[in-house]
Amino acid sequence: MITVHGFSPSGNCHKLRLLLEQLGERYRWVEVDSSRGETRTAQFLALNPNGKVPVVDFGDGRTLTESNAILYYLADGSEFLPADLWQRAQALSWMNFEQYSHEPSIAVARFIAGWTPLDSPRRADLPALRERGHQALAVMERHLQERAWFTGERYGIADIALFAYTDVAAHGGIGLDGYPAIVSWLARVRATPRFVALPEPDAQAAQRIAESNRSL
Amino acid sequence: MITVHGFSPSGNCHKLRLLLEQLGERYRWVEVDSSRGETRTAQFLALNPNGKVPVVDFGDGRTLTESNAILYYLADGSEFLPADLWQRAQALSWMNFEQYSHEPSIAVARFIAGWTPLDSPRRADLPALRERGHQALAVMERHLQERAWFTGERYGIADIALFAYTDVAAHGGIGLDGYPAIVSWLARVRATPRFVALPEPDAQAAQRIAESNRSL
């Protein structure tokens, strides 16, 4: 059985939970709280020298890092990754977009809002992160005005990758009011069989998020 | 024949040139100077709404964005991408590492050093970018102490992806003195058949780079 080392509130980690649940695959989850330095211990760095979750341990000596590479590997042969080379190319393109142009603004704004102290100097970055987040959402909205999904013709791993942080963008102060096609797509993802949602932020994170977004 | 829309000094664009040369594939190159706003014109945004190079146009109505997704698509079936699923997973993992943990520090430090004015406020970011760049290099060094390549058993697209900016890390003030395994790997990449180097920075960029690194 595979083991996922992950931090439950992290969208990058939740991607794997969502795919594994939808594949009906059995797995073990080991909680690693990256907000409390648990990805920087010697033990964790032996698992992933880059000090990041998620990491998947296949239990036979093999481990794999990087959420989107893990999605691609686990979904091979399933309905969540088309066999067609050109559809795969587009799925990979969107997954690279997610890691380069979407996650570093939308996920980071959320992390700062909910998981750093209210007087953290990192909060000065929020306005620029929100602006870049809206740029990424505009690119997604344009795609979804013409297409139903990001993974070829059907729901799949590029949708899972992009859903994770888009669904909670408001935590970082990035509202979805101006993006009707994204809002419809989020609802379609939520309606897929065996869908599981990201857990709600804990009380401390929820309070910080409320405080961060009060003036917006 | 395919057309690459790219900015020659960009490592993300050079990745495609290197693979296409090594594949022996014919292609057309259209220069798009992203440092002068040419990726923000209406015409370019029609090609890639995300406003980034490279973009590949296949000449049959199909276009593809995101350098690493393009590498993966073009290399399919060639010696530069193993057929084995597990080796592919590791190549994709390293390519995600490149886009998330390597390029945003090493490439951005180089861009700021060479392609922004000497009084740009972005230069205040250089010390932090250099520190993160060294963290990424340490992860690569550790891998290369045990393995020859990043793409399974042989040279391939993950090596091409990581080579591009690692080879010119010094432009951003990130020296490779402490990384003997990386230095050897760079030499192995340079020795592959049909290798082509990134063009030298033009006179203005070279002068800015020299000025940036004078105090290091």
Side-chain angles (χ1 to χ4, degrees):
Chain A
M1 183 167 38
I2 75 173
T3 302
V4 179
H5 298 262
F7 182 41
S8 290
S10 151
N12 281 328
C13 298
H14 187 73
K15 292 173 189 176
L16 303 191
R17 194 193 292 276
L18 177 50
L19 177 63
L20 286 163
E21 293 286 341
Q22 295 195 312
L23 285 170
E25 188 125 4
R26 290 181 61 214
Y27 62 96
R28 210 162 62 93
W29 184 280
V30 174
E31 190 70 15
V32 181
D33 187 341
S34 52
S35 78
R36 294 176 194 270
E38 292 180 13
T39 50
R40 291 281 150 195
T41 65
Q43 192 187 358
F44 188 84
L45 290 171
L47 197 61
N48 180 8
N50 199 29
K52 294 193 194 309
V53 282
V55 181
V56 165
D57 184 337
F58 291 91
D60 56 5
R62 293 179 305 141
T63 58
L64 191 60
T65 60
E66 298 290 336
S67 59
N68 290 346
I70 299 167
L71 288 180
Y72 196 89
Y73 179 74
L74 293 174
D76 193 87
S78 80
E79 64 185 295
F80 303 106
L81 177 59
D84 176 73
L85 185 61
W86 178 244
Q87 288 189 39
R88 285 187 168 211
Q90 289 166 89
L92 276 179
S93 178
W94 280 112
M95 291 164 86
N96 274 281
F97 165 84
E98 189 267 336
Q99 283 290 285
Y100 195 84
S101 298
H102 181 282
E103 203 268 11
S105 51
I106 295 176
V108 173
R110 172 176 177 262
F111 181 82
I112 291 173
W115 285 267
T116 66
L118 287 170
D119 60 356
S120 166
R122 295 188 65 186
R123 288 177 181 266
D125 297 340
L126 283 172
L129 290 170
R130 288 171 182 148
E131 189 184 328
R132 289 214 298 278
H134 280 293
Q135 288 167 5
L137 293 177
V139 173
M140 291 173 66
E141 178 74 11
R142 186 171 155 149
H143 174 81
L144 289 168
Q145 283 166 354
E146 292 174 9
R147 305 291 199 91
W149 304 108
F150 291 99
T151 316
E153 304 297 318
R154 290 166 63 186
Y155 169 73
I157 56 171
D159 299 282
I160 290 174
L162 280 163
F163 178 86
Y165 288 112
T166 306
D167 194 44
V168 291
H171 289 168
I174 300 166
L176 297 177
D177 286 352
Y179 307 101
I182 290 178
V183 170
S184 299
W185 164 76
L186 291 171
R188 286 195 297 279
V189 174
R190 267 189 234 102
T192 56
R194 304 201 208 208
F195 172 82
V196 284
L198 196 69
E200 291 293 323
D202 64 25
Q204 184 183 45
Q207 197 188 339
R208 286 169 170 167
I209 286 167
E211 195 66 37
S212 296
N213 296 333
R214 184 174 294 181
S215 58
L216 295 178
Chain B
M1 185 165 40
I2 74 173
T3 301
V4 179
H5 297 263
F7 182 40
S8 290
S10 151
N12 280 329
C13 297
H14 187 72
K15 293 172 187 175
L16 302 192
R17 194 194 292 275
L18 177 50
L19 176 64
L20 287 163
E21 293 287 341
Q22 295 195 312
L23 285 169
E25 188 125 4
R26 291 180 60 214
Y27 61 96
R28 210 162 62 95
W29 185 280
V30 174
E31 191 70 14
V32 181
D33 187 341
S34 52
S35 76
R36 294 177 193 271
E38 292 180 13
T39 50
R40 292 281 152 196
T41 64
Q43 192 187 358
F44 189 84
L45 289 171
L47 198 61
N48 180 8
N50 199 29
K52 294 193 193 309
V53 280
V55 181
V56 166
D57 184 337
F58 291 90
D60 56 6
R62 292 179 307 139
T63 59
L64 190 59
T65 61
E66 297 293 334
S67 59
N68 290 347
I70 298 166
L71 287 181
Y72 196 89
Y73 180 73
L74 292 175
D76 193 87
S78 80
E79 63 184 297
F80 303 107
L81 178 59
D84 177 72
L85 185 61
W86 179 243
Q87 289 189 39
R88 285 187 170 211
Q90 289 165 88
L92 275 179
S93 179
W94 281 112
M95 291 164 84
N96 275 281
F97 165 85
E98 189 266 337
Q99 283 290 285
Y100 194 83
S101 297
H102 182 283
E103 203 267 11
S105 51
I106 296 177
V108 172
R110 172 176 177 261
F111 181 81
I112 291 173
W115 285 268
T116 66
L118 287 169
D119 60 356
S120 166
R122 294 188 67 186
R123 288 177 180 265
D125 296 341
L126 283 171
L129 291 170
R130 288 170 182 150
E131 190 185 326
R132 289 214 298 278
H134 280 293
Q135 289 167 4
L137 293 176
V139 173
M140 291 172 67
E141 179 74 10
R142 186 172 156 148
H143 174 82
L144 290 169
Q145 282 165 355
E146 292 173 10
R147 305 292 199 88
W149 304 109
F150 291 99
T151 317
E153 305 296 320
R154 290 165 64 185
Y155 169 75
I157 55 171
D159 300 281
I160 291 175
L162 280 162
F163 178 86
Y165 289 112
T166 306
D167 194 43
V168 291
H171 289 168
I174 300 167
L176 298 177
D177 286 352
Y179 308 101
I182 290 177
V183 170
S184 299
W185 165 75
L186 290 171
R188 285 195 297 280
V189 175
R190 267 188 234 102
T192 55
R194 306 201 206 207
F195 172 83
V196 284
L198 197 69
E200 292 293 323
D202 64 25
Q204 183 183 45
Q207 195 189 341
R208 285 169 171 168
I209 286 167
E211 194 67 38
S212 296
N213 296 333
R214 183 175 295 182
S215 58
L216 293 180

